[in-house]
Amino acid sequence: MIRTQLPALQVVIPLLAGPTCLLLHHSRLSWGLATSASWVALFISLALLDQVLATGPISYELGGWAAPWGIEYRIDEINAFVLLIISGISAITISFARTSIEHEVHSKHVYLVYTGWMLCLTGLLGIAITGDVFNVFVFLEISSLSSYLLISLSRDQRALTAAFRYLVMGTIGATFILIGIALLYMMTGTLNMSDLAARIPSVSDTRTVKIAFAFLTAGIGLKAAVFPMHFWLPNAYAYAPSAISALFAGTATKVAIYLLLRFFFTIYGVEFSFETMKLDRILLPMALAGIFVASTVAIFQTDIKRMLGYSSIAQIGYIVLGVSLVSVTGVTAAILHLFNHALMKAALFVALGCVFFRVGSVTRDDLAGIGYTMPWTMGAFVLGGLSLVGIPLTVGFISKWYLIVAALEQQMWWLAGLVLISSLLALVYVWRVIEIAYFGTPGDRSTEIKEAPATLLIPTWILIIANIYFGIDTSLTVGVAERAAQALLGNAS
Amino acid sequence: MQVFGLYNYWVVIILMMIGLYVVIASGNLIKKIVGLNIFQTSVFILYISIGKLDRGTAPILVEGVTSYSNPLPHVLILTAIVVGVATTALGLALAVRIYGAYGSIEEDEIQKQDNAS
Amino acid sequence: MLSLLTVTALAVARLDQLFAAVMLFGIYSLLSAALFVVMDAVDVAFTEAAVGAGISIILMLGALALTSREQRPVPRSRHWIALVVVVVTGAGLIYGTLDIPLYADPNAPAHLHVAPRYLQQSMQEIGIPNVVTSVLASYRGYDTLGETVVIFTAAVGVIGRLGVATEGRIEPKTGGLEHYLILRITAKFMLPLILVFALYVQFHGDFGPGGGFQAGVIFASAFILYGLVFGMENVTAVAPPVVVRSLAAIGVLIYAGVGVVSLLMGSNFLDYNILGHEPTHGQHLGIFLVEFGVGVTVAASMISLFYAYASYQREK
């Protein structure tokens, strides 16, 4: 019985936990509840993935109304995987969050952080699981509003402006999505994703459907911070509390990318997206520009969190690059990188959270000599950084490998070369941190700095070990990503 | 006829664009929020226009009436209005806090202070 | 009507006086509410009037009172950028409309697929005349749960940012208007009427326009009026901030709770059929409870917003 109800529970458990955290009105209790809810969500998503891999896509009718009249949850390989990424990152980062949040957020707001966290998780999971486009909009707004709040709760006053800017950009993006949905509804009369997919081909030569496509792509692209629609991201990541940056880096943009995949492949179909609209010709240059511009800008950042923000934009570029190749290997690389990038970025932000906890700053100059005073933290940072660069035996290598194979499959030698060159840029910005941490001259305060407490280090190292584990044993990730890519591309035929 | 049938939509599009223009062109944070509201309200009008039916009436079932306007866009927009006011409330609260921290709600002034610090 | 809207929108865009711009937006919102009535969307009109012209304006004026009233001119280059973006987007949209079904065309796909079932079947399946309520609370009840969560999130956000004193008492910043006799008597006379009207809207949503959301807003407006006229001290004595905030959470839990109960009884989440001895009875009960949850959350969230704005003191 409980098995058939898992799709509903996946979202409803954090949804119930959110308001309950507010009612508890107690920092530690709220944290305890939110953490348990996150872990339960992780186990549910594992069970769902298992079920999907064993028996194929799951459909769940909310309210007992059949689609397209009611709202349907539809889980196949790709969103089961995305659900796993979101709930996994949330579960690990929230375990780390308690010490870090108590340090970085005003004590009377701590329970609100967990309320917001649960709401954000509800929103993200809701977007990933649903099979109804308007339901996507509603849950997108839940996750967005709670992220504006979470960013602004930081003690840094610049977080306020970052949150405000994100709010304005996010709302424009959401309204664009709303316009796109309206145009699609006009032409098809339905909001259900599979129903849309069935009805779009008969109207696919109308200008309306094409413009709807453009608006949806732009709106979701804004949310995903696809270059050149990324302006809100670096400050939002830089000034948010560390645990929140880790959560967002691992989940928020990933969900938006998933939505793009959903619209491109499932709803519109490969033929429309890439043959009628020639989307790959726009995506490819955008992805490359994103990778090179953002990586270069990252090199010149003095605030390390901001640097990682720019690096995220570049990494989103790799994902888009994989999509733009429109082959099973390319899309596999994109989906793999969704997972792998979530792991490495979360690990890096969590490690920076440890630094911030002891040093009170993550500016480059303040990190001088920290490699010796906080060996475990910086060790984790170095490993995470190597993963970001794409050194063998880390997850970063796996993503790059599949990307390069995909490029070579299509005889695009130059593209494979560019991917390699761009990795050198990543090496440069990661090296600049390592350089100052191990070879910089320590400041006066450095003797007071101690290693971060175990409550922070353990989750950091869990993430780092995951980075290495999934870099060696790729059977789970590559297997699922490949099946998901085949399912996405298979819909066209 | 073609032109007249689309006229409504075109005006709505102009309204949306005025809203979007205000959002982008204003440096004042509260004015931006007002712009967002105009933008969103205009999109609501777009949706409700989709639902309208010739000789239709409000979708409340009554004996003897057979032609009703489409209720689905109405439902969607009820939801969207609530989402809109929620965003407005949060955005304004942030603007108030920004004024508390910077003494200004002009974007360039805030930028200047951030660069100075 | 549409041309009036255009004029108003243009005026908002041109004005530097923020106060006037906000007021004009109120007019814009009321005009669009009137337009919604013309287009047969009575429920939407009701909500737009209550929210756009009511709550949004109160919030904007509150924010203006706490910040500054004039905007400074911005560099010309910015106008050009905005203009380019707007012209490109607008042209794209107009291009997109060239193939859409004409306005009010009964043969548009939107009227032929999905929607007819609501109009034809909802009487047997749900048994209430207002189709908008049927779709809102049952067919697409899950969206409405999401919507309730959104408004709750906003309330949490505003409380978090502007912070209501957690101790439960708010420092009176400005005294109420209690020394105005006429105002006081009118308010006393109005308050019960507003509350009764709110209850009517809450429970009459099955038959006419209305429902939990509109009722919640009206209910909250009674408290806001009370607060404005008799001062914050009095209104927080009647409804302490902590209680109000908790109610906002409880409303969401009521709504989701209905879903959990249906789930525990062996049916899908938010399937009301199982709640009663026969399906339509279950639907009635489910919709009633769910609308009640919405009403509680909305009213409590709105009052919380008002408290937050009224009690905010600038940090020095």
Side-chain angles (χ1 to χ4, degrees):
Chain A
M1 200 294 278
I2 191 86
R3 240 177 122 73
T4 56
Q5 298 297 341
L6 283 180
L9 291 174
Q10 173 84 85
V11 178
V12 170
I13 285 176
L15 193 153
L16 289 170
T20 316
C21 281
L22 185 91
L23 288 178
L24 287 175
H25 203 285
H26 184 284
S27 307
R28 290 282 166 95
L29 288 179
S30 301
W31 174 76
L33 179 71
T35 309
S36 332
S38 267
W39 282 97
V40 172
L42 175 59
F43 288 118
I44 294 178
S45 68
L46 278 170
L48 283 174
L49 180 64
D50 182 55
Q51 207 174 331
V52 168
L53 291 179
T55 57
I58 307 171
S59 166
Y60 181 91
E61 291 160 356
L62 287 151
W65 299 111
W69 297 280
I71 295 168
E72 179 198 23
Y73 270 178
R74 195 169 176 80
I75 310 160
D76 56 15
E77 288 88 349
I78 173 151
N79 56 356
F81 195 47
V82 173
L83 290 172
L84 178 67
I85 298 176
I86 301 166
S87 51
I89 296 291
S90 164
I92 297 174
T93 46
I94 203 168
S95 315
F96 147 90
R98 200 195 82 209
T99 324
S100 172
I101 292 285
E102 278 173 8
H103 180 69
E104 289 180 44
V105 175
H106 198 293
S107 59
K108 71 176 184 196
H109 289 149
V110 170
Y111 74 103
L112 288 178
V113 171
Y114 299 117
T115 310
W117 191 306
M118 282 298 105
L119 294 171
C120 191
L121 183 63
T122 308
L124 296 170
L125 293 172
I127 300 169
I129 202 171
T130 190
D132 186 283
V133 285
F134 195 80
N135 199 237
V136 165
F137 169 75
V138 175
F139 279 81
L140 187 72
E141 286 296 319
I142 297 179
S143 72
S144 306
L145 282 174
S146 46
S147 13
Y148 310 145
L149 167 69
L150 288 173
I151 293 170
S152 76
L153 279 174
S154 158
R155 287 188 186 184
D156 192 326
Q157 68 173 21
R158 288 170 297 182
L160 292 171
T161 19
F164 188 88
R165 182 172 297 177
Y166 184 20
L167 182 138
V168 171
M169 298 302 277
T171 309
I172 293 178
T175 312
F176 269 43
I177 297 173
L178 204 55
I179 296 173
I181 296 174
L183 296 176
L184 279 186
Y185 178 69
M186 263 186 203
M187 300 312 290
T188 61
T190 186
L191 296 165
N192 182 277
M193 288 182 184
S194 7
D195 204 21
L196 274 171
R199 290 175 154 260
I200 281 180
S202 63
V203 286
S204 63
D205 53 345
T206 57
R207 288 166 279 200
T208 315
V209 169
K210 290 177 188 163
I211 288 294
F213 185 80
F215 270 81
L216 289 165
T217 311
I220 304 171
L222 245 170
K223 285 274 179 190
V226 173
F227 185 86
M229 295 177 279
H230 63 273
F231 292 103
W232 57 268
L233 187 140
N235 280 352
Y237 281 19
Y239 305 130
S242 308
I244 303 298
S245 309
L247 173 72
F248 288 169
T251 58
T253 47
K254 305 296 173 293
V255 171
I257 300 263
Y258 154 76
L259 264 187
L260 278 182
L261 291 175
R262 202 35 115 200
F263 272 102
F264 291 166
F265 292 100
T266 311
I267 297 180
Y268 274 99
V270 177
E271 202 178 317
F272 183 87
S273 302
F274 296 98
E275 281 167 31
T276 316
M277 298 300 285
K278 306 255 185 286
L279 187 66
D280 43 336
R281 294 198 191 164
I282 306 166
L283 286 186
L284 185 69
M286 257 166 55
L288 284 175
I291 293 171
F292 280 93
V293 174
S295 299
T296 314
V297 176
I299 294 175
F300 297 101
Q301 295 303 313
T302 49
D303 183 316
I304 309 295
K305 274 170 92 178
R306 236 177 112 91
M307 180 197 93
L308 289 184
Y310 277 104
S311 151
S312 279
I313 297 163
Q315 302 294 321
I316 290 163
Y318 289 114
I319 300 175
V320 176
L321 188 64
V323 176
S324 73
L325 294 172
V326 212
S327 65
V328 172
T329 325
V331 177
T332 305
I335 298 169
L336 261 180
H337 202 48
L338 275 183
F339 179 85
N340 292 345
H341 178 239
L343 274 187
M344 50 181 127
K345 261 311 148 47
L348 286 170
F349 272 114
V350 167
L352 279 185
C354 298
V355 173
F356 195 85
F357 185 77
R358 286 297 185 211
V359 183
S361 149
V362 287
T363 316
R364 244 168 56 83
D365 297 341
D366 293 333
L367 262 54
I370 205 174
Y372 301 102
T373 46
M374 301 178 73
W376 285 99
T377 304
M378 282 319 286
F381 188 91
V382 170
L383 287 176
L386 292 177
S387 183
L388 193 61
V389 177
I391 303 290
L393 299 185
T394 62
V395 286
F397 174 71
I398 308 293
S399 312
K400 295 255 167 75
W401 173 258
Y402 274 85
L403 204 53
I404 290 173
V405 169
L408 293 183
E409 265 176 10
Q410 302 183 11
Q411 318 295 326
M412 294 161 96
W413 293 94
W414 56 274
L415 190 62
L418 285 177
V419 171
L420 284 177
I421 296 172
S422 67
S423 300
L424 291 179
L425 289 175
L427 184 62
V428 174
Y429 60 72
V430 170
W431 173 252
R432 278 172 60 88
V433 179
I434 297 176
E435 186 186 22
I436 192 96
Y438 287 94
F439 305 108
T441 334
D444 319 327
R445 289 178 48 238
S446 64
T447 44
E448 305 156 20
I449 296 167
K450 288 182 302 197
E451 182 54 89
T455 45
L456 294 181
L457 279 179
I458 293 171
T460 315
W461 276 91
I462 291 179
L463 281 167
I464 292 296
I465 291 167
N467 262 292
I468 296 168
Y469 176 79
F470 289 109
I472 298 168
D473 177 10
T474 56
S475 53
L476 172 74
T477 49
V478 174
V480 176
E482 232 159 20
R483 280 188 60 172
Q486 277 157 359
L488 281 178
L489 287 159
N491 281 342
S493 53
Chain B
M1 190 56 211
Q2 166 88 12
V3 172
F4 186 74
L6 292 178
Y7 167 76
N8 265 300
Y9 288 116
W10 289 353
V11 178
V12 174
I13 291 170
I14 293 172
L15 290 175
M16 285 196 252
M17 290 309 119
I18 295 175
L20 186 59
Y21 176 82
V22 175
V23 181
I24 304 174
S26 305
N28 183 292
L29 303 186
I30 291 187
K31 188 80 179 279
K32 270 184 190 292
I33 299 281
V34 175
L36 274 182
N37 270 283
I38 294 182
F39 187 31
Q40 289 186 314
T41 309
S42 318
V43 176
F44 302 161
I45 303 177
L46 172 73
Y47 267 84
I48 301 301
S49 312
I50 303 175
K52 174 67 182 164
L53 197 66
D54 250 348
R55 290 185 297 283
T57 61
I60 295 173
L61 302 174
V62 188
E63 289 291 327
V65 180
T66 50
S67 174
Y68 298 100
S69 280
N70 186 343
L72 186 53
H74 300 184
V75 173
L76 304 183
I77 288 318
L78 280 174
T79 306
I81 290 178
V82 178
V83 170
V85 71
T87 317
T88 306
L90 193 56
L92 290 172
L94 285 176
V96 169
R97 282 299 294 241
I98 289 174
Y99 189 76
Y102 292 86
S104 169
I105 46 167
E106 298 290 336
E107 214 173 31
D108 42 352
E109 176 68 24
I110 295 163
Q111 194 85 43
K112 224 180 285 170
Q113 288 192 27
D114 265 351
N115 293 343
S117 66
Chain C
M1 192 85 90
L2 281 166
S3 40
L4 270 177
L5 275 169
T6 319
V7 173
T8 324
L10 279 175
V12 176
R14 289 204 50 81
L15 278 171
D16 279 344
Q17 287 277 336
L18 290 176
F19 184 77
V22 168
M23 280 308 177
L24 274 174
F25 172 70
I27 294 173
Y28 183 83
S29 177
L30 276 180
L31 279 173
S32 37
L35 190 66
F36 293 151
V37 176
V38 175
M39 293 178 175
D40 303 331
V42 279
D43 277 280
V44 181
F46 196 167
T47 312
E48 178 64 35
V51 171
I55 298 293
S56 292
I57 298 297
I58 294 178
L59 292 177
M60 287 176 187
L61 291 179
L64 278 186
L66 295 172
T67 56
S68 68
R69 288 191 164 203
E70 296 247 350
Q71 78 161 343
R72 283 214 313 258
V74 285
R76 207 149 255 296
S77 60
R78 201 175 172 131
H79 286 289
W80 286 112
I81 299 171
L83 208 59
V84 170
V85 172
V86 165
V87 168
V88 171
T89 333
L93 266 178
I94 288 187
Y95 175 76
T97 58
L98 294 178
D99 286 329
I100 59 174
L102 299 184
Y103 175 68
D105 179 1
N107 292 319
H111 302 312
L112 299 180
H113 186 53
V114 180
R117 151 130 179 209
Y118 298 140
L119 292 167
Q120 286 150 16
Q121 306 283 322
S122 71
M123 209 57 194
Q124 291 91 349
E125 288 176 345
I126 298 189
I128 58 173
N130 189 347
V131 188
V132 173
T133 305
S134 301
V135 180
L136 185 83
S138 189
Y139 291 105
R140 295 189 69 88
Y142 188 66
D143 266 350
T144 311
L145 172 61
E147 161 194 339
T148 317
V149 176
V150 169
I151 199 79
F152 169 71
T153 312
V156 173
V158 175
I159 293 168
R161 286 330 316 164
L162 297 183
V164 175
T166 23
E167 295 71 35
R169 284 193 70 80
I170 291 171
E171 294 288 312
K173 196 168 58 176
T174 49
L177 305 165
E178 56 268 69
H179 43 285
Y180 295 101
L181 185 64
I182 297 175
L183 206 58
R184 215 169 71 207
I185 291 172
T186 325
K188 276 215 164 129
F189 181 69
M190 291 285 291
L191 280 172
L193 285 180
I194 298 179
L195 292 177
V196 169
F197 182 58
L199 290 176
Y200 171 79
V201 172
Q202 170 82 46
F203 299 119
H204 196 258
D206 296 1
F207 310 102
F213 188 73
Q214 294 93 330
V217 173
I218 297 170
F219 200 78
S221 72
F223 280 84
I224 295 175
L225 177 67
Y226 188 75
L228 287 175
V229 176
F230 297 94
M232 292 304 292
E233 274 173 294
N234 285 313
V235 72
T236 46
V238 178
V242 176
V243 175
V244 174
R245 182 172 28 180
S246 307
L247 280 173
I250 289 170
V252 176
L253 292 178
I254 291 177
Y255 199 138
V258 173
V260 172
V261 168
S262 65
L263 202 141
L264 289 177
M265 291 172 78
S267 196
N268 274 4
F269 190 69
L270 288 179
D271 186 348
Y272 309 142
N273 283 347
I274 201 155
L275 297 176
H277 49 81
E278 54 170 358
T280 48
H281 180 248
Q283 289 289 344
H284 276 289
L285 184 64
I287 292 176
F288 174 82
L289 288 173
V290 156
E291 290 271 16
F292 180 67
V294 175
V296 170
T297 294
V298 169
S301 299
M302 295 298 164
I303 299 173
S304 292
L305 292 183
F306 170 66
Y307 283 173
Y309 277 95
S311 64
Y312 174 73
Q313 258 133 10
R314 207 178 142 187
E315 285 168 15
K316 281 290 172 192

